[in-house]
Amino acid sequence: MYRYDEFDADFVAQRVAQFSGQVARRLSGELSEDEFKPLRLMNGLYLQLHAYMLRVAIPYGTLSATQMRRLAVIAREHDRGYGHFTTRQNIQFNWPKLAEVPAILDKLAEVEMHAIQTSGNCIRNVTADQFAGVAEDEIEDPRITAEIIRQWSSLHPEFTFLPRKFKIAVTGAPNDRAAVRFHDIGLQMLRDENGEVGFEVWVGGGQGRTPVIAERIRGFLPKRYLLSYLDAILRVYNMLGRRDNLYKARIKILVQQTGVEEFTRLVEEEWQQIKDRGFDLPEAERRRIEAYFAPPAYPAAETHPAALRAAEDSDPGFAQWLQASLAEHREPGYGIVTISLKPIGGAPGDATAEQMEAVADLAERYGLGEIRVSHEQNLVLPDVRLSDLHALYQGLLDAGLATANVGLVSDIIACPGLDYCNLANARSIPVAQRLGERFADLDRQHEIGPLKVKISGCINACGHHHVGDIGILGVDRKGEEFYQITLGGRPDEQAAIGKIIGPSFSYDEVTDAVDNIVETYLGLRQDGETFAEAYRRVGLDPFKEKLYAAH
Amino acid sequence: MPLIKDGRLAEDRWTPVADDEAIGADIDPIVSLERWQAEHETLSGRNRPIGLRLRSDQSPAAVAEEVERFDVIALEFPKFTDGRSYSHARLLRERYGFRGELRAVGKVLRDQFTFLLRCGFDSLEVADERLAEAFEEATSEISHVYQRATDPGAPIWARRHGPAALGSEAACTGS
Ligand code: SF4
């Protein structure tokens, strides 16, 4: 993974000192809360319902064991003993005291971490495929590109006061695990007919109150032009994006209102003016960054360890966990393990300090010391020897992290909702917890198969409900919490926005409603179809009929 | 309003004039784009320096062909968070070749100074004289940059690899 050199380290140290100065000016009263607000927002510090919340960047979701241990220390010393991993591959601490924030940032800087641009109307932490570098289907490790973008976007003088926040995602594989079509800019790596690697450029995707699938504005952008092309897109957006209405300020609205053809023309015209003028990264620097992501030398490992087979036979819990958690690694004898942060009845994405430490230990013992955070709010150990899987499983069991539900109905994405967020209409986490309890029987979950349930507490869609197989949106009906259900959303290369099934349900009804939809699916599926496949075949109607039959 | 130029409080010899205000014979006015466009001839005939003021929703492309007519161009920041003038400044400097004084006016706060300088501004109109004292600190807090902009400062990647990495093309085409 990337390591800071003296420049990176010094930059972050200076930024921490600068922010500490801003905090000091706030605490002394020199800055009012109003004046402090845009400054703290540029450094990931929000004022929530009950307290400040600090969002720490985990660039493209990659963490070392050392960094994970440091997050545990912060959770213990400055929060209530836990942290919350988010859908943007970051971590949030919900209870830091303002006066302690500089100390937290110092502790982060010591392990090459920061909170720069995790909020505010700037280019946010870049996200990437959580299986980057180890996925079977990958063309190039997307983290090279993501790291280049991270550096380029850090305190970019022109793009720090954009009309609205700006999110970029990169995937290096044709199977899109980074939801690039739902980002302000999505970069999908591909090869052209000569075998050169470059990007397909998608712009204007997003969720929120107006969900939009991005438009492809360029079929192939050579890698060397990455930054000048991003400069061109951002400049057009910075100058023309709407600033009169918060809800129309994202680039997706600009693309829609300008029309994709005209928007593309503007970007290309701007790019022609700035390409080859020294704004792109020199090849030597690209290669320097690339070198950090070179695949490690994997010690040879058994591809079909007998002990693994034996453990699967003798330990059904392990076999079930394996089925849900293991993904194929490009290196024979190794596997990618997803660790569920969705224990039945727990808050999605939460981990205690002890659990973070356990994951760090296990990553070192059974992997190469690297950990990933997925946008599905789980953790990933990317390099586990197949012969170590059973031991790893037992370690995870001890830490309360062996829930065998990855990708299944109780692996729910949920936003903080009414429990933390001052914009919420309704609770999200308790809905996820109730659903988890309803589907607690793992055998039944495995019988149901892959199914993504996503819950947002309001129209801002932080819980990505638009792209869930089953999406749940909290709405306010005469001061009461209600939930609107959508079906058929997909975040991947077959991007789709879920369709509303019908009238919404009360807090007490919503669990039954989801159960009803799942039962309908089980009744109509053919030959092992997944929920998404069955939905594509039959559409909304059969689900709707069953769901509202009783009403 | 106090004016910071080259890091210090400076005398301001320019007079902003409203669109319906008569321009005294002995002043150097800063006029709006509307007034410039309407009174182009008269203003040019005065034989005195002239300044232009652009709102953040007015692209400098409107004066791309005639930037050399102005000794100063003032770009507005109606709100701290309205970042359009950063792009406009870069276009004026890097594309339209404007070499005169580029002034930031409106909500110009300490924590923007570095960004402003990097986009080509060289004078800042501020609400409070004390901001001039903070200038030095505000613009030296962060000494590293990760990207090319209008300023000649070398990005970190260029310093990592030495001058060769800078390439032959200078970023600022105005110089
Ligand atoms: S979706 Fe709404 S309730 Fe949930 S975190 Fe976002 S803003 Fe808050």
Side-chain angles (χ1 to χ4, degrees):
Chain A
M1 61 186 279
Y2 188 73
R3 296 302 312 264
Y4 285 6
D5 67 359
E6 73 265 35
F7 293 108
D8 299 310
D10 205 33
F11 175 83
V12 170
Q14 290 181 344
R15 178 70 182 106
V16 171
Q18 181 185 47
F19 188 68
S20 304
Q22 291 164 349
V23 170
R25 281 190 278 149
R26 171 71 192 109
L27 290 170
S28 75
E30 187 184 331
L31 287 175
S32 67
E33 175 52 32
D34 261 8
E35 290 167 326
F36 182 54
K37 186 178 169 192
L39 303 177
R40 64 170 165 75
L41 282 180
M42 278 166 65
N43 212 54
L45 193 60
Y46 285 82
L47 198 52
Q48 284 198 334
L49 223 45
H50 314 290
Y52 280 108
M53 177 272 276
L54 179 69
R55 183 182 293 150
V56 174
I58 301 175
Y60 35 88
T62 294
L63 273 174
S64 68
T66 310
Q67 291 173 326
M68 184 64 107
R69 285 197 189 94
R70 185 55 56 95
L71 295 177
V73 168
I74 292 168
R76 193 175 287 127
E77 292 177 3
H78 301 283
D79 199 328
R80 298 184 175 174
Y82 63 95
H84 175 76
F85 290 96
T86 77
T87 55
R88 298 224 8 105
Q89 303 180 305
N90 291 320
I91 184 167
Q92 292 178 180
F93 294 106
N94 281 313
W95 309 96
K97 293 193 189 66
L98 180 57
E100 292 177 12
V101 170
I104 299 176
L105 296 176
D106 277 333
K107 287 178 186 167
L108 290 169
E110 281 167 17
V111 295
E112 305 181 4
M113 296 185 79
H114 60 70
I116 299 168
Q117 288 168 218
T118 55
S119 57
N121 292 338
C122 53
I123 302 165
R124 300 287 188 87
N125 184 31
V126 182
T127 52
D129 183 354
Q130 71 270 19
F131 292 169
V134 291
E136 185 77 72
D137 56 350
E138 187 170 277
I139 295 165
E140 183 183 294
D141 191 329
R143 294 174 302 169
I144 300 163
T145 300
E147 175 60 25
I148 290 171
I149 297 174
R150 182 190 76 81
Q151 297 192 17
W152 159 81
S153 65
S154 293
L155 300 187
H156 196 299
E158 186 180 349
F159 306 134
T160 296
F161 302 96
L162 296 168
R164 205 70 178 85
K165 58 188 169 186
F166 203 90
K167 300 175 180 178
I168 304 178
V170 194
T171 177
N175 295 305
D176 176 11
R177 287 171 289 263
V180 300
R181 286 163 190 76
F182 286 99
H183 281 76
D184 294 295
I185 296 179
L187 298 171
Q188 168 112 43
M189 299 199 97
L190 78 174
R191 275 181 215 285
D192 71 357
E193 61 274 16
N194 305 317
E196 188 187 344
V197 174
F199 307 101
E200 201 172 58
V201 183
W202 295 78
V203 174
Q207 303 194 41
R209 61 184 62 211
T210 325
V212 181
I213 298 171
E215 299 276 1
R216 197 181 75 164
I217 67 162
R218 194 162 234 284
F220 187 79
L221 177 73
K223 276 196 290 190
R224 67 180 177 285
Y225 288 126
L226 172 69
L227 295 185
S228 57
Y229 203 78
L230 293 180
D231 268 322
I233 298 172
L234 266 299
R235 181 169 289 167
V236 169
Y237 171 56
N238 189 42
M239 294 197 295
L240 300 179
R242 287 183 60 172
R243 291 174 186 265
D244 59 331
N245 181 336
L246 186 67
Y247 303 118
K248 298 201 152 84
R250 295 292 287 267
I251 195 173
K252 61 190 172 191
I253 305 293
L254 177 65
V255 174
Q256 281 182 336
Q257 292 186 343
T258 321
V260 62
E261 275 170 37
E262 174 62 7
F263 178 82
T264 308
R265 192 189 64 74
L266 290 170
V267 169
E268 292 283 327
E269 198 176 273
E270 180 60 34
W271 184 49
Q272 290 307 323
Q273 298 275 347
I274 57 176
K275 73 189 274 224
D276 296 318
R277 303 199 77 118
F279 295 111
D280 280 302
L281 219 51
E283 190 50 32
E285 175 66 357
R286 167 177 280 281
R287 279 202 303 272
R288 186 190 73 90
I289 291 175
E290 226 170 70
Y292 287 105
F293 297 97
Y298 289 100
E302 269 183 277
T303 52
H304 295 92
L308 174 63
R309 176 56 61 80
E312 272 182 90
D313 288 344
S314 65
D315 183 347
F318 172 60
Q320 204 166 44
W321 173 83
L322 205 57
Q323 208 192 356
S325 305
L326 186 68
E328 205 158 332
H329 197 288
R330 68 193 328 171
E331 192 70 21
Y334 288 80
I336 308 170
V337 170
T338 302
I339 300 171
S340 170
L341 292 183
K342 318 290 174 62
I344 301 305
D350 276 5
T352 64
E354 292 69 31
Q355 288 177 324
M356 293 182 213
E357 281 160 351
V359 170
D361 291 346
L362 294 168
E364 278 172 346
R365 197 168 324 144
Y366 301 117
L368 301 173
E370 200 177 293
I371 301 149
R372 310 285 177 80
V373 182
S374 78
H375 78 270
E376 274 144 353
Q377 300 180 282
N378 290 318
L379 299 177
V380 173
L381 298 185
D383 304 292
V384 182
R385 254 186 263 212
L386 298 181
S387 53
D388 286 335
L389 284 167
H390 194 229
L392 168 65
Y393 168 71
Q394 287 163 328
L396 289 171
L397 264 185
D398 290 342
L401 288 168
T403 315
N405 65 349
V406 171
L408 304 179
V409 60
S410 64
D411 182 2
I412 296 170
I413 293 185
C415 79
L418 202 55
D419 298 292
Y420 296 99
C421 176
N422 39 23
L423 300 172
N425 288 323
R427 288 168 285 179
S428 310
I429 295 169
V431 173
Q433 288 167 329
R434 283 186 167 198
L435 281 169
E437 278 149 19
R438 173 65 62 92
F439 292 97
D441 176 0
L442 278 168
D443 292 335
R444 182 164 174 235
Q445 290 198 46
H446 280 258
E447 165 61 22
I448 297 164
L451 201 157
K452 293 182 197 300
V453 178
K454 307 193 179 195
I455 310 173
S456 304
C458 81
I459 200 163
N460 287 317
C462 305
H464 300 180
H465 67 276
H466 295 300
V467 296
D469 289 317
I470 300 177
I472 301 175
L473 164 66
V475 292
D476 176 279
R477 240 168 59 182
K478 301 198 184 97
E480 236 187 286
E481 295 168 281
F482 267 74
Y483 297 87
Q484 191 177 71
I485 296 182
T486 49
L487 297 188
R490 287 186 72 152
D492 58 6
E493 65 286 350
Q494 297 183 42
I497 293 161
K499 288 208 179 77
I500 298 171
I501 191 165
S504 52
F505 297 90
S506 71
Y507 180 72
D508 287 325
E509 293 164 341
V510 68
T511 314
D512 285 337
V514 172
D515 204 341
N516 181 298
I517 291 164
V518 171
E519 283 304 322
T520 306
Y521 154 64
L522 291 176
L524 59 73
R525 81 169 156 195
Q526 296 175 353
D527 324 316
E529 278 174 328
T530 62
F531 183 93
E533 288 159 355
Y535 175 83
R536 205 147 48 145
R537 178 173 54 83
V538 303
L540 205 58
D541 288 342
F543 293 98
K544 190 171 179 165
E545 267 166 40
K546 283 268 170 46
L547 184 57
Y548 295 100
H551 291 248
Chain B
M1 291 274 247
L3 186 72
I4 304 176
K5 241 189 126 173
D6 301 320
R8 262 162 299 171
L9 276 184
E11 203 61 49
D12 189 1
R13 70 180 174 95
W14 294 92
T15 312
V17 292
D19 283 356
D20 52 5
E21 194 180 327
I23 300 175
D26 55 348
I27 66 159
D28 296 336
I30 296 181
V31 300
S32 70
L33 178 65
E34 287 80 2
R35 185 152 190 181
W36 168 253
Q37 285 170 338
E39 299 172 28
H40 199 268
E41 304 268 299
T42 344
L43 290 168
S44 305
R46 285 181 78 240
N47 259 334
R48 284 195 69 111
I50 182 134
L52 177 73
R53 180 175 174 119
L54 294 176
R55 292 195 310 267
S56 63
D57 62 352
Q58 291 174 321
S59 166
V63 292
E65 303 299 325
E66 47 189 0
V67 290
E68 73 286 354
R69 308 285 284 276
F70 308 107
D71 283 59
V72 57
I73 296 181
L75 300 182
E76 280 180 21
F77 289 82
K79 286 191 292 193
F80 178 71
T81 51
D82 182 342
R84 285 176 281 197
S85 293
Y86 293 101
S87 290
H88 294 162
R90 289 194 65 180
L91 289 181
L92 279 167
R93 289 289 195 222
E94 297 173 45
R95 193 157 308 159
Y96 310 140
F98 178 64
R99 315 265 195 96
E101 176 183 332
L102 192 54
R103 183 181 287 197
V105 300
K107 279 266 176 297
V108 178
L109 306 181
R110 169 204 158 110
D111 300 281
Q112 285 156 295
F113 289 175
T114 305
F115 298 135
L116 292 166
L117 299 190
R118 293 206 61 213
C119 289
F121 288 97
D122 54 3
S123 77
L124 317 169
E125 201 178 276
V126 292
D128 188 330
E129 291 197 355
R130 279 174 303 178
L131 282 171
E133 289 152 35
F135 183 89
E136 184 58 40
E137 196 193 330
T139 53
S140 58
E141 283 168 336
I142 307 234
S143 60
H144 303 288
V145 301
Y146 275 110
Q147 59 295 101
R148 262 291 180 57
T150 310
D151 63 326
I156 287 174
W157 48 259
R159 290 159 66 194
R160 278 175 178 141
H161 300 279
L166 279 162
S168 53
E169 197 82 51
C172 179
T173 55
S175 57

